Amino acid sequence: FCMPFSLYYIRERKAAKQRGDRSLIDITLKETYEAMKALYWETPEAFKYMCGQVFAANGIATVIAVNVTYFQLEVGSSGFQIIIVSGVVLFAGIFCSYLFAVASKYFTLKQLWTFILSLWVFLGIITPLTMTRGANFLLIVAIGGVGYSFGLSWYFSIGFVAFESMAPADRRSQYTGIYTLATNLGSAIGPLVYSIIVQITNSQRLAICALPVFNLIALVIFRFVDFK
């Protein structure tokens, strides 16, 4: 019973001697900075892709965070209707994921990303124009269910895989950690911008119009990334 704790204590004492006076936070920040710098200089295409992905995450993943609020306040959907739309997203996502697997055999990563981001720009424009209070429920299912399912399934299918393919094998674990950190921290910008616009204008429709801007920026960045 005591052996695991004894081994843990011995290991931590040894690590503490190696650290000296430096704190774990200081070491973590320095190693993160060094890994980020190595990513920039050794694999600049992967670094550019990571920057583009930060903007894409704000334009796409933010939809997941705000869609329930938008449907309730701007569209007037009931809880049962939201559950139906969510179910359509999940079930349609099965077919959409299979369709992505087929499309990936015939199109390049840049072409797939161009299509995905263009789709999200379209969805970001058509959502506030058509999905308003009193909108037909079938239209809501078509856009918020099928359309969002298509966009989300393709986005999550390509995002990490494309970065992993550009990272060198001997630094892949380190670089994917940086990628995860950057995208997770950076993806807080979209919800923050959305919340600020809602607080200033009291309009969910105007706030959701800001999300396609992130997708457009990501689209421009990805056009200059050499995925090969």
Side-chain angles (χ1 to χ4, degrees), residues 17-35:
K17 290 182 180 179
Q18 294 175 345
R19 291 197 304 267
D21 296 332
R22 299 173 61 196
S23 66
L24 284 174
I25 296 177
D26 179 51
I27 294 173
T28 302
L29 291 176
K30 183 175 181 180
E31 291 184 353
T32 301
Y33 171 75
E34 292 297 330

Side-chain angles (χ1 to χ4, degrees), residues 119-137:
L119 173 63
W120 276 107
V121 170
F122 172 75
L123 290 173
I125 294 174
I126 198 174
T127 295
L129 292 178
T130 60
M131 297 176 64
T132 58
R133 188 170 295 275
N136 187 283
F137 183 63

Side-chain angles (χ1 to χ4, degrees), residues 174-196:
Q174 184 183 32
Y175 286 172
T176 51
I178 295 297
Y179 169 85
T180 303
L181 175 67
T183 52
N184 285 341
L185 290 179
S187 61
I189 300 174
L192 178 62
V193 171
Y194 189 95
S195 300
I196 292 174

Side-chain angles (χ1 to χ4, degrees), residues 115-178:
F115 173 77
I116 293 169
L117 292 171
S118 299
L119 173 63
W120 276 107
V121 170
F122 172 75
L123 290 173
I125 294 174
I126 198 174
T127 295
L129 292 178
T130 60
M131 297 176 64
T132 58
R133 188 170 295 275
N136 187 283
F137 183 63
L138 292 178
L139 179 64
I140 296 174
V141 171
I143 298 175
V146 179
Y148 280 25
S149 177
F150 201 102
L152 288 170
S153 60
W154 279 46
Y155 166 72
F156 285 108
S157 295
I158 195 176
F160 179 77
V161 176
F163 178 83
E164 188 179 29
S165 66
M166 291 186 285
D170 58 330
R171 306 290 293 271
R172 187 164 295 166
S173 297
Q174 184 183 32
Y175 286 172
T176 51
I178 295 297

Side-chain angles (χ1 to χ4, degrees), residues 30-225:
K30 183 175 181 180
E31 291 184 353
T32 301
Y33 171 75
E34 292 297 330
M36 187 78 73
K37 187 168 64 173
L39 175 64
Y40 175 79
W41 289 109
E42 296 178 8
T43 53
E45 300 304 318
F47 183 85
K48 286 191 292 185
Y49 177 83
M50 182 181 70
C51 294
Q53 178 67 311
V54 169
F55 285 99
N58 282 290
I60 299 174
T62 304
V63 173
I64 302 176
V66 304
N67 62 13
V68 174
T69 304
Y70 183 86
F71 280 123
Q72 287 180 334
L73 299 181
E74 289 295 332
V75 184
S77 300
S78 64
F80 181 68
Q81 289 176 326
I82 294 175
I83 292 175
I84 293 177
V85 174
S86 300
V88 171
V89 171
L90 293 175
F91 284 106
I94 299 174
F95 171 76
C96 293
S97 298
Y98 172 77
L99 190 60
F100 174 84
V102 175
S104 62
K105 298 179 181 178
Y106 302 98
F107 299 97
T108 64
L109 290 173
K110 181 174 290 189
Q111 290 172 332
L112 291 171
W113 261 119
T114 300
F115 173 77
I116 293 169
L117 292 171
S118 299
L119 173 63
W120 276 107
V121 170
F122 172 75
L123 290 173
I125 294 174
I126 198 174
T127 295
L129 292 178
T130 60
M131 297 176 64
T132 58
R133 188 170 295 275
N136 187 283
F137 183 63
L138 292 178
L139 179 64
I140 296 174
V141 171
I143 298 175
V146 179
Y148 280 25
S149 177
F150 201 102
L152 288 170
S153 60
W154 279 46
Y155 166 72
F156 285 108
S157 295
I158 195 176
F160 179 77
V161 176
F163 178 83
E164 188 179 29
S165 66
M166 291 186 285
D170 58 330
R171 306 290 293 271
R172 187 164 295 166
S173 297
Q174 184 183 32
Y175 286 172
T176 51
I178 295 297
Y179 169 85
T180 303
L181 175 67
T183 52
N184 285 341
L185 290 179
S187 61
I189 300 174
L192 178 62
V193 171
Y194 189 95
S195 300
I196 292 174
I197 295 176
V198 170
Q199 293 299 318
I200 295 176
T201 66
N202 197 30
S203 173
Q204 300 273 342
R205 293 179 65 191
L206 186 60
I208 207 169
C209 288
L211 301 184
V213 176
F214 293 105
N215 296 324
L216 284 172
I217 296 174
L219 181 59
V220 172
I221 294 175
F222 286 154
R223 296 302 299 174
F224 292 96
V225 175

